Amino acid sequence: MLETRKIISIGEAAHAIMTHQKCGTIEHVPLMACEGRFLAKDMIATCDLPHFTRSAFDGFAVRAEDTASARPEKPLTLEVVDHIGAGMVTDKIVTTNQAVRIMTGAQMPAECDAVVALELAKEFQKDGKTFVTIKRAAKIGDHISYQGEETKLGTTLVTKGTRIHAGISASLATFGYETVPVAKKPVVGILATGSELLEVSDPLVPGKIRNSNTSMIVAQIHKIGGKAIYFGKLADDFETSYQKINEAFAKVDFLITTGGVSVGDYDLMPDVYQKMNAHILFNKVAMRPGSVTTVAEKDGKLIFGLSGNPSACYVGLELFVRPSIRAMLFSSAPHLQKITAYLGSDFTKPNPFTRFIRSELGFRDGKVFANPVGIDKSNIILSLIKANSLAVLPGGTRGFQAGDQVEVLLIDDHEGSEWPW
Amino acid sequence: MLETRKIISIGEAAHAIMTHQKCGTIEHVPLMACEGRFLAKDMIATCDLPHFTRSAFDGFAVRAEDTASARPEKPLTLEVVDHIGAGMVTDKIVTTNQAVRIMTGAQMPAECDAVVALELAKEFQKDGKTFVTIKRAAKIGDHISYQGEETKLGTTLVTKGTRIHAGISASLATFGYETVPVAKKPVVGILATGSELLEVSDPLVPGKIRNSNTSMIVAQIHKIGGKAIYFGKLADDFETSYQKINEAFAKVDFLITTGGVSVGDYDLMPDVYQKMNAHILFNKVAMRPGSVTTVAEKDGKLIFGLSGNPSACYVGLELFVRPSIRAMLFSSAPHLQKITAYLGSDFTKPNPFTRFIRSELGFRDGKVFANPVGIDKSNIILSLIKANSLAVLPGGTRGFQAGDQVEVLLIDDHEGSEWPW
């Protein structure tokens, strides 16, 4: 039966999905285990940074005014009254013509306002006392890091929804965050349909292929920041499928099915959605691959009916499932980041629909290129090995030449965008 | 005491490290859990892909020769002798003027060599039999994916050392790899030195700062692909330090210490290395930050003495520890990837040493920019929050202007380079 579906734009489809967002939830993880997680709260500086004024160099802490007369031809000698390393605090009061030998990071003596570098000073002993000779005047602030110079108590360091990396970890450590509030990983269920599918461990038989979509989706969800659960392969039977989908749906934040959303003779999903009383947000999107991507909503929860075709499945997930997951991870930029790049080779096929071309980013002489990888039929799996981006070739165009500027969506990026459509 | 050290170039330092590589070891993980791991072997196609000739469209499988006379004004009628979906195989022999209704992905009947799309055919019933009328001749190969069209049995799909992502997972699934040989995660020990250091959970006290390096390093190692173990903070005592370092060293593939490698009055590490009979590969590198980075070797194992200064520590790790870890992950491109980008803002300070400027990559109109983030003193932690790259400003230059082309090392990239120096 040839069914008629209402086709909508990619932006309309993404918008429909974003109007059914689920709220993320918070859990606390040890700082040492937070790399790759997403902040659930804005993180605040709990003190000034530095929280005390300190030396930025190994040398001698001095009172700049004492050194005003120092010249190469008229060196000045100060008495060294203490010697402190990082972590130490002097208990001496530094008065006129006195200095403290000080290492990088040590707290400045309250009376001192400059540091003379070790290399520019000459220390010597005399009569059981230590002295230092300097040949140049120090200026107030020389080699000093002032309290609050880097940031002030109460400043927002990094906003919620940001993926935590090493630099963020270091900052959180500095401010005493032993545990970190992060978004709980959204749980995404996966059900595969298609009587042609074998499990990965099965030997090949004529006419059947191994299920490659599930392990692909598991990896995509892991990368995006969710937790995937595979509920298995659906038998090619309506009642069983309906029941399994219902059961899985109850246990997850989102459910993904692969296959069965086309208009082929064996595509069960439309009828399953109907029996579930799920509200179809859309079942046809003006794009290639992935035009049959179908998304339904029930009780505020989404079911993503992705194509069984690997490339279409891949693109559908990155375009529509990713923002749902990232929104639950508190991201304000849940969509794929879009940049402009030069197309690395010709793509001369005219496009009635917007087409996503699997590409590998390349850099040359300050320019960024999107190099299409392999043949781009939608049933090609291996081109996904090299792809780290999708060149977006708009519908209604007559093809593109190498060197044309095109928009490119970055798949491996964690920054995202608020709205690329 | 002012010590004299022999300064070497970054390339010489990296080369010294790479001559003391440890071999990686292999473990097998389930396909569903391999995202982000590194392949320990080249992976091979275990069959042709597709492994049978199949329909690439919903339609009718025909013998092209039968259709040669079909014209809009002279339609041709074929008998439909079977109806198969993906995963099915017909048991009919298709002879002259017969066809099989076939769905995308189904195996082509052996006698057929073209598919006529559903939309271009009209099916009807007559006398209990099914027929189809077509108005155009089909060409051999129309809408067919041939066996081995995508790849042949025995082809190398992806080489060892590659980080596994979704596209690779999908390909491995296709070829039946239920478990995947990956590199065991190299174990990297961390010991922090510095009497100024508090643990992250400690309240602040005058003159002391929280240890931010350890959680930063843990996150960096996690990102790079290793496993980090924190052995704690070293007391400021030579014998205890020596003992703890020796103990930790025995338990890991690499040991990282932070702090104590400078020439300050409290820097113990040089003496510890000596007592360990470790061979110092270098203790001064012509770069900023991180010039005091010290690397020693004992029994074929490396100890990385990174600066206690967060930025220097960060850079030292990315430049020198990363390639050691990635080499154990079987990567042939273990170093940071280097690209050319436009500098986003002026950096007018002359550089006696090569300087690494923490930067944020930006894309505009097909160009890539490295935008320096924040002030770039080496004691600045917060600029690491935005940094995802290091602009490389070579020594001996008089500063750079916004718009100049500069080399940039990509920190978040997983592709790497064979040799960027």
Side-chain angles (χ1 to χ4, degrees), chain B residues 130-147:
Chain B
T130 306
F131 296 90
V132 63
T133 302
I134 59 175
K135 295 183 170 177
R136 254 188 277 178
K139 283 198 312 294
I140 292 177
D142 277 357
H143 300 310
I144 289 182
S145 285
Y146 286 101
Q147 175 172 341

Side-chain angles (χ1 to χ4, degrees), chain B residues 138-216:
Chain B
K139 283 198 312 294
I140 292 177
D142 277 357
H143 300 310
I144 289 182
S145 285
Y146 286 101
Q147 175 172 341
E149 179 178 280
E150 190 164 345
T151 202
K152 303 283 186 207
L153 167 67
T155 305
T156 298
L157 303 166
V158 49
T159 52
K160 70 177 177 179
T162 305
R163 190 172 188 272
I164 301 169
H165 57 59
I168 294 174
S169 281
S171 306
L172 296 179
T174 296
F175 294 106
Y177 291 101
E178 204 187 356
T179 63
V180 184
V182 300
K184 259 196 188 157
K185 294 184 181 187
V187 177
V188 186
I190 306 166
L191 274 165
T193 78
S195 51
E196 77 277 24
L197 295 184
L198 303 167
E199 292 295 352
V200 174
S201 53
D202 290 340
L204 292 179
V205 295
K208 303 208 179 220
I209 57 171
R210 296 195 186 96
N211 173 13
S212 59
N213 284 333
T214 295
S215 36
M216 179 176 79

Side-chain angles (χ1 to χ4, degrees), chain B residues 23-351:
Chain B
C23 280
T25 50
I26 298 181
E27 65 181 346
H28 287 78
V29 297
L31 177 60
M32 294 288 202
C34 70
E35 199 269 337
R37 301 297 298 268
F38 290 75
L39 283 171
K41 290 183 178 172
D42 292 353
M43 301 307 283
I44 306 296
T46 55
C47 60
D48 288 347
L49 182 66
H51 71 96
F52 54 87
T53 295
R54 64 191 182 194
S55 175
F57 224 77
D58 294 344
F60 294 88
V62 299
R63 296 153 29 110
E65 60 179 309
D66 294 350
T67 70
S69 67
R71 302 275 181 283
E73 66 280 9
K74 191 186 157 201
L76 175 82
T77 296
L78 304 173
E79 183 190 357
V80 180
V81 296
D82 204 357
H83 177 182
I84 56 174
M88 300 179 192
V89 178
T90 185
D91 54 4
K92 302 290 193 307
I93 307 239
V94 182
T95 59
T96 313
N97 289 335
Q98 291 186 332
V100 168
R101 184 175 169 112
I102 193 167
M103 296 293 111
T104 307
Q107 179 165 326
M108 285 294 287
E111 303 77 21
C112 298
D113 52 16
V115 171
V116 178
L118 222 51
E119 300 90 302
L120 301 178
K122 202 177 158 169
E123 208 179 42
F124 63 95
Q125 310 281 329
K126 194 178 166 191
D127 302 335
K129 285 185 173 178
T130 306
F131 296 90
V132 63
T133 302
I134 59 175
K135 295 183 170 177
R136 254 188 277 178
K139 283 198 312 294
I140 292 177
D142 277 357
H143 300 310
I144 289 182
S145 285
Y146 286 101
Q147 175 172 341
E149 179 178 280
E150 190 164 345
T151 202
K152 303 283 186 207
L153 167 67
T155 305
T156 298
L157 303 166
V158 49
T159 52
K160 70 177 177 179
T162 305
R163 190 172 188 272
I164 301 169
H165 57 59
I168 294 174
S169 281
S171 306
L172 296 179
T174 296
F175 294 106
Y177 291 101
E178 204 187 356
T179 63
V180 184
V182 300
K184 259 196 188 157
K185 294 184 181 187
V187 177
V188 186
I190 306 166
L191 274 165
T193 78
S195 51
E196 77 277 24
L197 295 184
L198 303 167
E199 292 295 352
V200 174
S201 53
D202 290 340
L204 292 179
V205 295
K208 303 208 179 220
I209 57 171
R210 296 195 186 96
N211 173 13
S212 59
N213 284 333
T214 295
S215 36
M216 179 176 79
I217 291 175
V218 167
Q220 286 178 285
I221 289 173
H222 190 245
K223 173 195 69 178
I224 292 167
K227 183 185 162 182
I229 303 179
Y230 179 42
F231 287 98
K233 205 156 60 75
L234 287 178
D236 211 12
D237 167 79
F238 180 79
E239 278 305 324
T240 322
S241 296
Y242 166 71
Q243 209 171 327
K244 273 203 147 186
I245 288 175
N246 250 329
E247 279 170 28
F249 188 57
K251 296 178 184 162
V252 297
D253 292 311
F254 309 106
L255 185 66
I256 292 175
T257 61
T258 59
V261 287
S262 194
V263 291
D265 301 342
Y266 303 91
D267 290 320
L268 294 172
M269 295 309 295
D271 292 339
V272 171
Y273 294 150
Q274 195 169 24
K275 180 158 180 182
M276 286 176 78
N277 284 321
H279 166 57
I280 308 267
L281 301 184
F282 55 85
N283 58 15
K284 189 148 197 180
V285 186
M287 66 185 217
R288 287 267 189 275
S291 64
V292 297
T293 306
T294 298
V295 179
E297 172 268 333
K298 189 187 174 182
D299 306 331
K301 228 193 247 187
L302 297 178
I303 313 180
F304 295 89
L306 302 182
S307 167
N309 175 310
S311 302
C313 180
Y314 186 88
V315 169
L317 191 146
E318 294 290 341
L319 263 51
F320 302 123
V321 185
R322 172 197 279 259
S324 295
I325 295 175
R326 284 277 165 93
M328 278 191 78
L329 295 171
F330 300 101
S331 174
S332 55
H335 300 276
L336 290 164
Q337 190 186 159
K338 190 170 73 177
I339 66 168
T340 301
Y342 293 93
L343 193 63
S345 59
D346 294 349
F347 189 89
T348 50
K349 222 164 143 180
N351 298 315

Side-chain angles (χ1 to χ4, degrees), chain A residues 59-302:
Chain A
F60 294 88
V62 299
R63 297 153 28 112
E65 60 179 308
D66 294 349
T67 70
S69 67
R71 301 277 180 283
E73 66 280 10
K74 193 187 156 200
L76 176 82
T77 297
L78 304 172
E79 184 190 355
V80 180
V81 296
D82 204 357
H83 177 182
I84 56 173
M88 300 179 191
V89 178
T90 185
D91 54 4
K92 301 292 194 304
I93 308 242
V94 183
T95 60
T96 314
N97 290 335
Q98 290 186 334
V100 167
R101 184 174 169 113
I102 193 167
M103 296 293 110
T104 308
Q107 180 165 324
M108 286 292 289
E111 304 78 20
C112 298
D113 52 17
V115 171
V116 177
L118 222 49
E119 300 89 302
L120 300 178
K122 200 178 157 168
E123 207 180 42
F124 62 95
Q125 310 281 326
K126 194 179 166 191
D127 302 335
K129 285 184 171 178
T130 306
F131 296 90
V132 64
T133 302
I134 59 174
K135 295 184 169 177
R136 255 188 276 178
K139 285 196 311 292
I140 292 175
D142 277 357
H143 299 310
I144 289 181
S145 285
Y146 286 100
Q147 176 172 342
E149 180 179 278
E150 190 164 345
T151 202
K152 304 283 187 207
L153 167 68
T155 306
T156 298
L157 303 166
V158 49
T159 53
K160 71 177 177 179
T162 305
R163 189 172 189 271
I164 301 170
H165 57 58
I168 294 174
S169 281
S171 306
L172 296 178
T174 296
F175 294 106
Y177 291 101
E178 204 187 355
T179 63
V180 184
V182 299
K184 258 194 189 159
K185 294 185 180 185
V187 176
V188 185
I190 306 167
L191 274 165
T193 79
S195 52
E196 76 277 24
L197 295 184
L198 302 168
E199 292 296 350
V200 174
S201 54
D202 290 340
L204 292 180
V205 295
K208 304 210 178 219
I209 57 170
R210 297 196 185 95
N211 173 12
S212 59
N213 284 334
T214 295
S215 37
M216 180 177 78
I217 292 175
V218 167
Q220 285 178 287
I221 289 173
H222 190 245
K223 173 195 69 177
I224 291 167
K227 183 185 161 180
I229 302 180
Y230 178 43
F231 287 99
K233 206 156 60 75
L234 287 177
D236 212 14
D237 168 79
F238 181 77
E239 278 305 323
T240 321
S241 296
Y242 166 71
Q243 208 171 325
K244 272 205 148 185
I245 287 175
N246 250 329
E247 278 171 26
F249 188 57
K251 296 177 183 163
V252 297
D253 291 311
F254 309 105
L255 185 65
I256 293 176
T257 62
T258 58
V261 287
S262 195
V263 291
D265 300 343
Y266 303 90
D267 290 318
L268 294 172
M269 295 310 296
D271 292 339
V272 171
Y273 294 149
Q274 195 169 24
K275 180 157 182 183
M276 286 176 77
N277 284 322
H279 165 59
I280 308 267
L281 300 184
F282 54 85
N283 58 14
K284 189 148 196 180
V285 186
M287 66 186 216
R288 286 271 188 274
S291 64
V292 296
T293 307
T294 298
V295 180
E297 173 268 331
K298 189 187 176 184
D299 306 332
K301 228 193 248 188
L302 297 178

